[in-house]
Amino acid sequence: MTQKTNLSAGRGYLAIPGPSVIPDAVLQAMHRAAPNIYAGELPDMMPGIVTDLRRVARTKHDVVIYIGNGHAAWEAALANVIGEGDRVLVPATGSFGRGWGDMAAGLGALVETLDFGKSSAMDMARIGEALKADTAHTIKAILAVHVDTSSSVRNDIAALRTVMDEAAHPALLMVDCIASLGCDVFEMDDWGVDVMVTACQKGLMVPPGMSFVFFNEKAAEVRRHMPRVSCYWDWTPRAAPELFYQYWNGTAPTHHVYGLRAALDMIHAEGMEAVWRRHDVLAHAIWAACHAWGSAGSLAFNVADPDSRSRAVTSLRLQSPNATALRDWTENQLGLTLGIGLGMAAPGDPAWHGFFRLGHMGHVNGHMIMGMLGGIDAGLKALDISHGKGALEAASEVIATGQVSPDTSP
Amino acid sequence: MTQKTNLSAGRGYLAIPGPSVIPDAVLQAMHRAAPNIYAGELPDMMPGIVTDLRRVARTKHDVVIYIGNGHAAWEAALANVIGEGDRVLVPATGSFGRGWGDMAAGLGALVETLDFGKSSAMDMARIGEALKADTAHTIKAILAVHVDTSSSVRNDIAALRTVMDEAAHPALLMVDCIASLGCDVFEMDDWGVDVMVTACQKGLMVPPGMSFVFFNEKAAEVRRHMPRVSCYWDWTPRAAPELFYQYWNGTAPTHHVYGLRAALDMIHAEGMEAVWRRHDVLAHAIWAACHAWGSAGSLAFNVADPDSRSRAVTSLRLQSPNATALRDWTENQLGLTLGIGLGMAAPGDPAWHGFFRLGHMGHVNGHMIMGMLGGIDAGLKALDISHGKGALEAASEVIATGQVSPDTSP
Amino acid sequence: MTQKTNLSAGRGYLAIPGPSVIPDAVLQAMHRAAPNIYAGELPDMMPGIVTDLRRVARTKHDVVIYIGNGHAAWEAALANVIGEGDRVLVPATGSFGRGWGDMAAGLGALVETLDFGKSSAMDMARIGEALKADTAHTIKAILAVHVDTSSSVRNDIAALRTVMDEAAHPALLMVDCIASLGCDVFEMDDWGVDVMVTACQKGLMVPPGMSFVFFNEKAAEVRRHMPRVSCYWDWTPRAAPELFYQYWNGTAPTHHVYGLRAALDMIHAEGMEAVWRRHDVLAHAIWAACHAWGSAGSLAFNVADPDSRSRAVTSLRLQSPNATALRDWTENQLGLTLGIGLGMAAPGDPAWHGFFRLGHMGHVNGHMIMGMLGGIDAGLKALDISHGKGALEAASEVIATGQVSPDTSP
Amino acid sequence: MTQKTNLSAGRGYLAIPGPSVIPDAVLQAMHRAAPNIYAGELPDMMPGIVTDLRRVARTKHDVVIYIGNGHAAWEAALANVIGEGDRVLVPATGSFGRGWGDMAAGLGALVETLDFGKSSAMDMARIGEALKADTAHTIKAILAVHVDTSSSVRNDIAALRTVMDEAAHPALLMVDCIASLGCDVFEMDDWGVDVMVTACQKGLMVPPGMSFVFFNEKAAEVRRHMPRVSCYWDWTPRAAPELFYQYWNGTAPTHHVYGLRAALDMIHAEGMEAVWRRHDVLAHAIWAACHAWGSAGSLAFNVADPDSRSRAVTSLRLQSPNATALRDWTENQLGLTLGIGLGMAAPGDPAWHGFFRLGHMGHVNGHMIMGMLGGIDAGLKALDISHGKGALEAASEVIATGQVSPDTSP
């Protein structure tokens, strides 16, 4: 019995950067009969959900929920403060930054993009210059992505606020935390974020279908001066509903509400700081392995600077077509699905097969990450892709110590 | 042991007019690990879903899906064809008709409402007059509700098309089938409907969170002449996606897609005509009971004319505060939740307690309807609300024969 | 659209006398990853389960759990106290009484059956005579069925104890409460029951797979004098386990334990007396309907005397082949499955089609019972089976008042 | 943020030697309303289940199913062929071998144990001697454990049959495959096994609650000569039922039947040989890691000889109290639950903390095993337990190549 065999029959592991692994408790909470939407448990749980969402975003300000995905939240946030002819600045560090800008253009905004490539964080100096140049303060908002899911670049939002303050620029700071919330440290109020958008299917561990817009009083004031906001996107009644249906502008996404309640319970039982630390250690374990593999082979981080990497997603390069070959092998042979590269090359381009991504957001723990890395290590060996040794032990060392000091960083 | 006791410990029955009872098969299909959104089963099932949605709507034209509720579909449909300053005609027969008009106003449209009250179907003659008066053809669309969930009025959409044709008016015929689709007979193409909106949580038997816009070539042409449609609402790429994410403008509502697949399987296994006949017979059973109760007491149909009643929802009147008392009793004593009255009186108004509604849409069968009616009969007795006798046998007679001939209609 | 149609597409309703309708909370509790069987939540919940089982049986004595069905509990109980050559008395009032006797014979016991037919309760006088005749006290146990699921006869166990006491007979009183526990009033200690067997799939609302043997000190003493009890059936270590696996003689039925925990939570949240009252009222509603149907047609109670009827199951007669035709019709046309007759006629015998049974045990409430009765009423009409009128209103009257005074009894 | 943190919040992984990880498809199949037990889908699926069970056991002979655990199957099998005073030979290689012997003693059998310790397979020569010494052929059966879950010793059943044949001894060869079936290669008919017992919660991937007895015609003939077999254990009607309830001697374990159906579908879709190869490669990956760890530290295989190791479970030694410390660490820190040592030392004995076991049976694949090993590697580091390096890469090498040639064996 030395015959080659398939080793995939077991639990599937979807290690893409979202949708992330859904906890059993969330699926359980969603497996229920239709609830009454006029009275009882469902409406009664909303105030607590609002409070607990604020705790995740670290804000005392408002939050509204849209039935929708991240793109819905993008448009919803914009629709409340950006109108035809308004000017927005988009410091892009990946596909999703540019995507939000496109959404603004779709609403008639004048979009100015500062492109920082796909492998580096925003250059705050350049942003500062752009702001200072806007002496007339015609830039109404900056659309910044905290973590760009495509590139895995993490931007320093606190530094962005500092730059804006230094330029004494009144633009709204609007931040996309779709990939990062609940994984990378984020402090809405402390960092001076005016509007933040996110969605439920990554760090919040709920099946896709809900997205969120947080906004502070400064943003609310801008909203009040908008000539018109469409009924569905208008955040005003959603933020201060008198009746349950106003949270949703219509029928509530009943089962998602229960799922979200379960997920928030898990997050706050663990504690926000503990959740962040967990993601931090696990990301460092992944990086330690990648560093080792990359020390003697073609595997490389898309983001060379560890300070600009996300704790939710890691974008990697691997000599085309090896990235695709590796993804195919781990999925077919081991039941482990890795993420495709996104936005680094066009789908038809041979270079497309030289990128892949690891999702490590939400419901992930030590043995899962070691299993993901072990699967990749096996794949590199199986496909004879040259790589450095010691990757798994480097990762298990980080897991063992829980230390994320500089020397464990690649 | 002659003591009074509570009889609610058993399966709950949510008999409100949506969200409706969810089939086990749908909940099962949604209880699953997160699927890959880039390749495999999930993307592969979309063409079949589109086909099967068309079969429900009886159309060969396009359909797009929004993550959202019915209000989202309202706005989405409008956003593609109605812009600032466009004129729309709203023949209202209940709250939801007026609500759709409000949504259009929120987009800057000029809304002209023809109010037909809350208990009667549209008067086609009046609509014909309005159309004929619009010699300049400035009315761009008619927003018509097939069944208004609040009033349970069912309008004759085929007749509306006839009136429009007779007036040779080029306005788009836009129809809201949120409450009716999959319950009341609806023929999009045969009836000449240009745009139809609906949602998943009623006749389609899926938890709320998805809504649908169907549109024909005439509507698509109007869309092409719109100066701008926001990226999220734009139906163009959604209707002809090259990549899976374009169906959704972003991340798919993964679990809802599986739920919808299961629901469509059930519907088409039974057959559209069979589904309609089932709803027809069950509605007649309900009406037979209501007719009997009403023959000697205060219970009355909101819609006196059987020809204008929906097969999905029945709105009833019962001397205030008896309607509320009855709902409370059946829920607390029997585990049967009936629908509140909607839009007939303001929540604070004592008259509010004089209305209630029965949902009979989607996953309902003979014993469920008899159980609902039996529960109401018990409640009327328990609360000493005067009512005519023989209601349950009148209903069981309809169930037994499956006859919906005039003599079984009240 | 006057065409005949099928009305079954909706929630199925299994109204057979066990397995009974399973609550969502129980299914939810069983939908979980495999738990650790050596430490943690699962072992920790056992003492509470034992306590709560005792509360259902109204006893302070021991209870052991077998992975098995009711027959397993029959054999388990017998194996601990009855050996080869021991004499047992079986007062039979249906198939299951005789079945337990057969089980004893299979263990080598000498079984003496007093047959009271299939439609009447035990005649205590005859039992008293038999006991008094046994002056040598060679009868080691009486095997009595509280409610025989086949006949729906309910026997007066307290009276049986009185007869035994009056005869000063030392035999063990062993009672089968498989059909009755959690539905009909049962007081193990107050009624002087020595051994009681039951199972999880009826009043306890858990999928079949667990059964229970309760025993008092008198029975334990008999056990101690048994020459040998097989390891698996031996209740001694199971009743006083030092380690978790000893509760089960091996691996625990992990998911059933969670299901049972959920079911016991529901029962005790409602309260034992409230559970009994609910079953009492619902049974009276059923009887009121049956009485009305039977007043002008062939439908008849198998047990004429209301004092000898169970609150868990009702066995009925209906001119063959109408009983089978009715069952087929309600299942195929309405999604309502009624119970077959059991033990009244052989399966091949045409008379077999003249019996059916209604299960009304466990997770049943007012609207469910009205739905079941409404379905039967429709079936009688559809099949043109002659029957008295007013059945459903008679039932709703009982539901409305919650009165079970003699005048509502048939 | 260099603070120590907990990394357990993610999917739990129960890596004990049974109950094993339950596939989602099995849990889904069990999450259903109570089915009818008299007709329809449930009874109809039994013939296929019997066929598919036979395919797992590689037999054309009979199989019966008991609602119960492995101990139930032990007693059930014995009860059909072993009676009071019968002599059985128990070649023990761990706790479960001795346990089955105790079960036989509980039925009155005369049990003769050949103890081969806890770390070595049976010595066939000694068994041969014992058989040859029994010239009167009073040994009625040999009770052999294929894989002893406690020690992880795997015995060569084909060799045992050869020894019996060489001794021309007519005893029944009864084999316990509870831990091994569906993991280690087993060929009931080819190996001349007369009776085989197993259970559902290991290689068959169903929650505990069902066990199985397979028997051939030789065993059936022995059964026919038994003076009496209790009704519940009697395999005769269960193997040739005329009615559905006879498969179960009473009520079927409805939900387990559906779960088993789903599990058998998975097994046969993969293919028996493929399932065995998968377990073989995964076991070799585990062994490669253990071998590396043990090369420089106290970790050691309980079974030194690879030819005597199971592909379902691996029992290990680690200087007390390190085994317990390691188990605690991986569970608390990573969400990975390893198996306790069983039967190697008494629970109170300090030596007890020097053993642990890894379950790798059933629903396990490449990334899961790498995650389990990665978790152990981290634990060894975290607890400063001395161990050899290179374990994870040794394992990933086996996973990569799928080779189980001698050089990859430790």
Side-chain angles (χ1 to χ4, degrees):
Chain A
M1 210 189 305
T2 58
Q3 188 178 345
K4 192 73 189 310
T5 191
N6 184 286
L7 305 177
S8 66
R11 296 200 65 90
Y13 180 0
L14 186 73
I16 69 175
S20 64
V21 174
I22 307 168
D24 285 351
V26 171
L27 287 176
Q28 287 267 17
M30 296 179 71
H31 194 138
R32 66 186 311 125
N36 194 355
I37 56 171
Y38 292 109
E41 189 181 49
L42 183 72
D44 291 351
M45 67 169 68
M46 286 311 296
I49 282 180
V50 166
T51 297
D52 287 341
L53 283 170
R54 284 180 182 136
R55 292 168 67 198
V56 174
R58 312 286 270 201
T59 184
K60 293 183 172 169
H61 296 296
D62 281 317
V63 55
V64 295
I65 315 181
Y66 294 91
I67 309 172
N69 53 24
H71 287 50
W74 274 352
E75 180 156 314
L78 292 169
N80 277 279
V81 292
I82 302 296
E84 182 141 15
D86 285 338
R87 199 171 155 221
V88 299
L89 182 69
V90 175
T93 59
S95 302
F96 288 96
R98 283 189 301 278
W100 199 6
D102 293 344
M103 218 84 182
L107 291 172
L110 306 175
V111 180
E112 179 174 344
T113 303
L114 290 179
D115 197 324
F116 299 103
K118 298 168 177 170
S119 299
S120 307
M122 298 169 187
D123 178 345
M124 295 302 162
R126 278 181 59 197
I127 297 175
E129 286 161 24
L131 291 174
K132 283 171 194 158
D134 178 32
T135 51
H137 290 175
T138 57
I139 295 173
K140 194 170 183 187
I142 297 185
L143 310 188
V145 172
H146 185 205
V147 166
D148 197 296
T149 324
S150 65
S151 64
S152 76
V153 169
R154 181 175 56 85
N155 292 295
D156 186 340
I157 301 301
L160 179 54
R161 164 52 65 195
T162 300
V163 163
M164 293 175 73
D165 288 350
E166 286 171 357
H169 198 289
L172 289 173
L173 174 52
M174 301 178 71
V175 180
D176 168 342
C177 289
I178 294 171
S180 62
L181 197 76
C183 309
D184 285 286
V185 175
F186 178 78
E187 300 275 1
M188 176 163 169
D189 291 355
D190 284 358
W191 295 356
V193 173
D194 300 308
V195 176
M196 187 269 275
V197 302
T198 193
C200 69
Q201 76 271 16
K202 306 208 176 189
L204 293 182
M205 310 182 294
V206 176
M210 255 188 187
S211 52
F212 309 90
V213 177
F214 295 78
F215 60 94
N216 64 14
E217 176 51 28
K218 179 177 170 184
E221 183 61 18
V222 173
R223 157 70 190 89
R224 283 180 209 113
H225 289 86
M226 289 289 286
R228 192 182 63 243
V229 174
S230 81
C231 296
Y232 195 73
W233 292 138
D234 191 1
W235 69 34
T236 315
R238 288 173 182 258
E242 289 173 28
L243 295 169
F244 177 62
Y245 84 89
Q246 293 175 310
Y247 278 106
W248 315 100
N249 198 261
T251 302
T254 51
H255 289 58
H256 270 77
V257 176
Y258 279 97
L260 179 62
R261 179 64 273 167
L264 290 170
D265 285 345
M266 294 177 72
I267 287 172
H268 293 307
E270 187 177 358
M272 266 331 293
E273 286 82 1
V275 170
W276 289 336
R277 285 199 304 272
R278 171 166 55 86
H279 281 86
D280 192 39
V281 173
L282 295 176
H284 276 80
I286 292 167
W287 301 345
C290 293
H291 183 69
W293 286 322
S295 65
S298 70
L299 189 139
F301 288 100
N302 180 52
V303 181
D305 179 5
D307 286 347
S308 300
R309 287 187 205 140
S310 166
R311 271 70 177 163
V313 50
T314 297
S315 189
L316 297 161
R317 294 158 184 270
L318 189 60
Q319 184 67 49
S320 175
N322 284 340
T324 296
L326 179 67
R327 285 194 304 102
D328 287 348
W329 192 89
T330 62
E331 182 164 40
N332 297 334
Q333 289 300 112
L334 308 185
L336 167 66
T337 303
L338 305 176
I340 60 170
L342 206 65
M344 311 306 284
D349 184 346
W352 192 85
H353 300 290
F355 301 92
F356 71 111
R357 290 176 299 157
L358 309 180
H360 36 103
M361 43 183 50
H363 196 55
V364 283
N365 59 19
H367 73 79
M368 291 167 75
I369 295 299
M370 289 305 300
M372 178 181 75
L373 297 173
I376 294 170
D377 196 77
L380 293 171
K381 287 181 167 69
L383 299 170
D384 236 336
I385 300 171
S386 97
H387 61 282
K389 299 298 171 194
L392 300 180
E393 299 224 20
S396 83
E397 180 71 27
V398 177
I399 300 275
T401 62
Q403 295 298 324
V404 295
S405 51
D407 59 313
T408 66
S409 293
Chain B
M1 210 189 305
T2 58
Q3 187 179 345
K4 192 75 191 308
T5 193
N6 184 286
L7 305 177
S8 66
R11 297 202 66 90
Y13 181 180
L14 187 73
I16 68 175
S20 63
V21 173
I22 308 168
D24 285 351
V26 171
L27 287 176
Q28 287 268 18
M30 297 180 70
H31 194 136
R32 64 185 314 125
N36 195 355
I37 57 172
Y38 292 109
E41 189 181 49
L42 183 71
D44 292 351
M45 67 170 67
M46 286 310 298
I49 283 179
V50 166
T51 297
D52 287 341
L53 284 170
R54 283 181 182 136
R55 292 168 67 199
V56 174
R58 313 286 270 201
T59 183
K60 294 184 172 168
H61 297 296
D62 282 315
V63 56
V64 295
I65 315 181
Y66 294 91
I67 310 172
N69 53 25
H71 286 51
W74 274 352
E75 181 157 314
L78 292 169
N80 277 278
V81 292
I82 302 295
E84 182 141 12
D86 284 340
R87 199 171 156 222
V88 300
L89 182 68
V90 175
T93 58
S95 302
F96 287 97
R98 283 188 301 278
W100 199 6
D102 294 343
M103 218 84 181
L107 292 171
L110 305 175
V111 179
E112 180 174 344
T113 303
L114 290 179
D115 198 326
F116 299 102
K118 300 168 177 168
S119 300
S120 305
M122 298 170 188
D123 177 345
M124 295 303 162
R126 278 181 59 197
I127 297 174
E129 287 162 21
L131 291 173
K132 283 171 192 157
D134 178 33
T135 51
H137 290 177
T138 57
I139 295 173
K140 195 171 183 187
I142 296 185
L143 310 187
V145 172
H146 185 204
V147 166
D148 198 296
T149 325
S150 64
S151 64
S152 76
V153 169
R154 181 174 56 84
N155 291 296
D156 186 341
I157 301 301
L160 179 54
R161 165 50 66 197
T162 300
V163 163
M164 292 174 74
D165 287 351
E166 286 172 357
H169 199 288
L172 290 172
L173 174 53
M174 301 178 70
V175 180
D176 167 343
C177 290
I178 294 171
S180 63
L181 197 76
C183 308
D184 284 285
V185 175
F186 178 79
E187 300 274 2
M188 177 164 170
D189 291 356
D190 284 359
W191 293 356
V193 173
D194 299 306
V195 176
M196 186 270 276
V197 302
T198 192
C200 69
Q201 76 271 14
K202 304 207 178 191
L204 293 181
M205 311 182 292
V206 176
M210 255 188 187
S211 52
F212 310 90
V213 176
F214 295 77
F215 60 93
N216 65 13
E217 176 51 30
K218 178 176 172 187
E221 184 62 17
V222 173
R223 157 69 190 88
R224 283 180 209 113
H225 289 86
M226 289 289 286
R228 191 182 64 243
V229 174
S230 82
C231 295
Y232 195 73
W233 293 138
D234 192 2
W235 68 34
T236 315
R238 289 173 181 258
E242 291 174 26
L243 294 169
F244 177 61
Y245 83 90
Q246 294 175 310
Y247 278 106
W248 315 100
N249 199 260
T251 302
T254 50
H255 290 57
H256 269 77
V257 177
Y258 279 97
L260 179 62
R261 179 64 272 166
L264 290 170
D265 285 345
M266 293 176 72
I267 287 171
H268 292 307
E270 187 177 358
M272 268 328 295
E273 285 83 0
V275 169
W276 289 335
R277 284 198 303 272
R278 172 166 53 86
H279 281 85
D280 192 40
V281 173
L282 295 177
H284 277 80
I286 291 167
W287 301 344
C290 294
H291 183 69
W293 286 321
S295 66
S298 69
L299 191 139
F301 288 100
N302 180 53
V303 182
D305 178 5
D307 285 347
S308 299
R309 287 187 205 141
S310 167
R311 270 69 177 164
V313 49
T314 297
S315 189
L316 297 162
R317 296 157 183 270
L318 189 60
Q319 183 69 48
S320 177
N322 283 340
T324 296
L326 179 67
R327 286 194 304 101
D328 288 348
W329 191 89
T330 62
E331 182 164 41
N332 297 333
Q333 289 300 113
L334 307 186
L336 167 67
T337 302
L338 305 176
I340 60 170
L342 206 66
M344 311 306 283
D349 184 345
W352 192 86
H353 300 290
F355 302 92
F356 70 110
R357 290 177 300 157
L358 308 181
H360 36 102
M361 42 183 50
H363 195 55
V364 283
N365 59 19
H367 72 80
M368 292 167 75
I369 294 300
M370 289 305 299
M372 178 181 75
L373 297 174
I376 294 170
D377 196 76
L380 293 171
K381 287 182 167 69
L383 300 170
D384 237 336
I385 299 171
S386 97
H387 60 283
K389 300 298 169 192
L392 300 180
E393 299 224 21
S396 83
E397 180 71 27
V398 177
I399 300 275
T401 62
Q403 296 298 324
V404 294
S405 49
D407 59 311
T408 68
S409 294
Chain C
M1 210 190 305
T2 59
Q3 187 178 347
K4 192 75 189 308
T5 192
N6 184 286
L7 305 176
S8 66
R11 296 201 67 89
Y13 180 179
L14 187 72
I16 69 175
S20 64
V21 174
I22 307 168
D24 285 350
V26 171
L27 287 175
Q28 287 267 18
M30 297 180 71
H31 193 137
R32 65 186 313 125
N36 194 356
I37 57 172
Y38 292 109
E41 189 181 51
L42 183 71
D44 291 351
M45 68 169 68
M46 286 311 297
I49 283 179
V50 165
T51 297
D52 287 341
L53 283 170
R54 284 181 182 135
R55 292 167 68 199
V56 174
R58 314 285 271 201
T59 183
K60 295 184 172 167
H61 296 296
D62 282 315
V63 56
V64 295
I65 315 181
Y66 295 90
I67 310 172
N69 53 23
H71 287 51
W74 274 352
E75 181 156 314
L78 293 168
N80 277 278
V81 292
I82 302 295
E84 181 141 14
D86 284 339
R87 200 173 156 219
V88 300
L89 182 68
V90 175
T93 57
S95 301
F96 288 96
R98 283 189 301 277
W100 199 6
D102 293 344
M103 217 85 179
L107 291 171
L110 306 175
V111 179
E112 180 175 343
T113 303
L114 289 180
D115 198 325
F116 299 104
K118 299 167 178 170
S119 300
S120 306
M122 298 170 187
D123 177 344
M124 294 303 162
R126 277 181 59 197
I127 297 174
E129 287 161 22
L131 291 174
K132 283 170 192 157
D134 179 32
T135 51
H137 291 176
T138 58
I139 295 173
K140 195 172 181 186
I142 297 185
L143 310 187
V145 172
H146 184 205
V147 166
D148 198 296
T149 324
S150 65
S151 64
S152 76
V153 168
R154 181 174 56 84
N155 292 294
D156 185 341
I157 300 301
L160 178 54
R161 165 50 67 193
T162 300
V163 162
M164 293 174 73
D165 287 350
E166 285 170 357
H169 198 288
L172 290 172
L173 173 54
M174 302 178 71
V175 179
D176 167 343
C177 290
I178 293 171
S180 62
L181 198 75
C183 308
D184 285 286
V185 176
F186 178 78
E187 300 274 3
M188 176 164 169
D189 291 356
D190 284 0
W191 294 356
V193 173
D194 299 307
V195 176
M196 187 269 276
V197 302
T198 192
C200 69
Q201 75 271 15
K202 307 208 176 188
L204 293 182
M205 311 182 292
V206 176
M210 255 188 187
S211 52
F212 309 90
V213 176
F214 295 78
F215 61 93
N216 64 13
E217 176 51 28
K218 179 178 171 185
E221 183 62 17
V222 172
R223 158 68 190 89
R224 285 181 207 112
H225 290 86
M226 291 289 285
R228 192 182 63 243
V229 174
S230 81
C231 295
Y232 195 73
W233 292 138
D234 191 0
W235 68 35
T236 315
R238 290 174 181 257
E242 290 173 27
L243 295 169
F244 177 61
Y245 84 90
Q246 294 174 311
Y247 277 106
W248 315 101
N249 198 260
T251 302
T254 51
H255 289 57
H256 269 77
V257 176
Y258 279 97
L260 179 61
R261 179 65 271 166
L264 290 170
D265 284 345
M266 294 177 72
I267 287 172
H268 292 307
E270 187 177 358
M272 267 328 295
E273 286 83 0
V275 170
W276 289 336
R277 284 198 304 270
R278 171 166 55 87
H279 282 85
D280 192 39
V281 173
L282 296 177
H284 276 80
I286 292 167
W287 301 345
C290 294
H291 183 69
W293 286 322
S295 65
S298 71
L299 189 138
F301 289 100
N302 181 53
V303 181
D305 179 5
D307 286 348
S308 300
R309 287 186 206 142
S310 167
R311 268 71 176 163
V313 49
T314 298
S315 190
L316 297 161
R317 295 158 184 269
L318 188 60
Q319 183 69 45
S320 176
N322 285 339
T324 295
L326 178 67
R327 285 193 306 100
D328 288 348
W329 191 89
T330 63
E331 182 164 41
N332 297 334
Q333 289 299 113
L334 308 186
L336 167 67
T337 303
L338 306 176
I340 60 170
L342 206 67
M344 312 305 285
D349 183 346
W352 192 86
H353 299 289
F355 302 92
F356 71 110
R357 290 176 299 157
L358 309 180
H360 36 101
M361 41 182 53
H363 195 55
V364 283
N365 59 19
H367 72 80
M368 292 168 75
I369 294 300
M370 288 307 299
M372 177 180 77
L373 297 174
I376 294 170
D377 196 77
L380 293 171
K381 286 180 167 68
L383 300 170
D384 237 334
I385 300 171
S386 95
H387 61 283
K389 300 298 171 192
L392 300 181
E393 298 224 21
S396 83
E397 179 72 27
V398 177
I399 300 275
T401 62
Q403 296 296 325
V404 295
S405 50
D407 58 313
T408 67
S409 295
Chain D
M1 210 191 307
T2 58
Q3 188 180 345
K4 192 73 190 309
T5 193
N6 184 284
L7 304 176
S8 66
R11 296 202 65 90
Y13 180 0
L14 186 73
I16 68 175
S20 63
V21 174
I22 308 168
D24 285 351
V26 171
L27 287 177
Q28 287 267 19
M30 296 179 72
H31 194 137
R32 66 186 312 125
N36 194 356
I37 57 172
Y38 292 109
E41 190 181 49
L42 184 72
D44 290 351
M45 67 170 66
M46 287 311 296
I49 283 179
V50 165
T51 297
D52 288 340
L53 283 170
R54 284 181 182 136
R55 292 168 67 199
V56 174
R58 313 285 270 199
T59 184
K60 295 183 171 169
H61 297 296
D62 282 316
V63 56
V64 295
I65 315 181
Y66 294 91
I67 309 172
N69 53 23
H71 286 51
W74 274 354
E75 181 156 314
L78 292 169
N80 277 279
V81 292
I82 302 296
E84 182 142 15
D86 284 339
R87 199 172 156 219
V88 300
L89 182 68
V90 175
T93 59
S95 301
F96 288 96
R98 283 189 301 278
W100 199 7
D102 294 344
M103 217 84 183
L107 291 171
L110 306 174
V111 179
E112 179 174 343
T113 304
L114 289 179
D115 198 325
F116 299 103
K118 298 167 178 170
S119 300
S120 306
M122 297 170 188
D123 177 346
M124 295 302 163
R126 277 180 60 196
I127 297 175
E129 287 162 22
L131 291 173
K132 283 171 192 157
D134 178 34
T135 51
H137 291 175
T138 58
I139 296 173
K140 195 171 181 187
I142 297 184
L143 310 187
V145 172
H146 184 206
V147 166
D148 197 297
T149 324
S150 65
S151 64
S152 75
V153 169
R154 181 175 56 84
N155 292 295
D156 186 341
I157 300 301
L160 180 53
R161 165 51 66 195
T162 300
V163 163
M164 293 173 73
D165 287 350
E166 285 171 358
H169 199 288
L172 290 172
L173 174 52
M174 300 177 72
V175 180
D176 168 342
C177 290
I178 293 170
S180 62
L181 197 76
C183 309
D184 285 287
V185 176
F186 178 78
E187 300 275 2
M188 177 163 169
D189 291 356
D190 283 359
W191 293 357
V193 173
D194 300 308
V195 177
M196 186 269 276
V197 302
T198 193
C200 69
Q201 75 271 17
K202 306 207 177 191
L204 292 181
M205 311 182 292
V206 176
M210 255 188 187
S211 51
F212 310 90
V213 177
F214 295 78
F215 60 93
N216 65 12
E217 176 52 28
K218 178 177 170 187
E221 184 63 18
V222 173
R223 157 69 189 90
R224 283 179 209 114
H225 289 86
M226 289 290 285
R228 192 182 62 243
V229 174
S230 81
C231 295
Y232 195 73
W233 292 138
D234 192 1
W235 69 34
T236 315
R238 289 173 182 258
E242 290 174 27
L243 295 169
F244 178 61
Y245 84 89
Q246 293 175 311
Y247 277 106
W248 315 100
N249 198 259
T251 302
T254 51
H255 289 56
H256 270 77
V257 176
Y258 279 97
L260 179 62
R261 179 65 272 166
L264 290 169
D265 285 345
M266 293 176 73
I267 288 172
H268 292 307
E270 187 177 358
M272 266 330 294
E273 286 83 0
V275 170
W276 289 336
R277 285 199 304 271
R278 171 166 53 87
H279 281 87
D280 193 38
V281 173
L282 295 177
H284 277 79
I286 292 166
W287 302 345
C290 294
H291 184 69
W293 286 321
S295 66
S298 70
L299 189 140
F301 288 100
N302 180 54
V303 181
D305 180 4
D307 287 348
S308 299
R309 287 187 206 140
S310 167
R311 271 69 177 164
V313 51
T314 297
S315 189
L316 297 161
R317 295 157 184 271
L318 189 60
Q319 184 68 47
S320 175
N322 284 339
T324 296
L326 179 67
R327 286 193 304 101
D328 287 348
W329 192 90
T330 62
E331 181 164 41
N332 297 333
Q333 289 299 113
L334 308 185
L336 167 67
T337 302
L338 306 175
I340 61 169
L342 206 66
M344 311 305 284
D349 184 346
W352 193 84
H353 300 290
F355 301 93
F356 70 110
R357 290 176 299 157
L358 309 180
H360 36 102
M361 44 184 49
H363 195 55
V364 283
N365 59 19
H367 72 80
M368 291 168 75
I369 295 299
M370 289 306 299
M372 178 181 75
L373 297 173
I376 294 171
D377 196 76
L380 293 171
K381 287 182 167 69
L383 299 170
D384 237 335
I385 299 171
S386 96
H387 61 283
K389 300 296 170 194
L392 300 181
E393 298 224 21
S396 82
E397 179 72 27
V398 177
I399 300 275
T401 62
Q403 295 298 324
V404 294
S405 51
D407 58 313
T408 66
S409 293

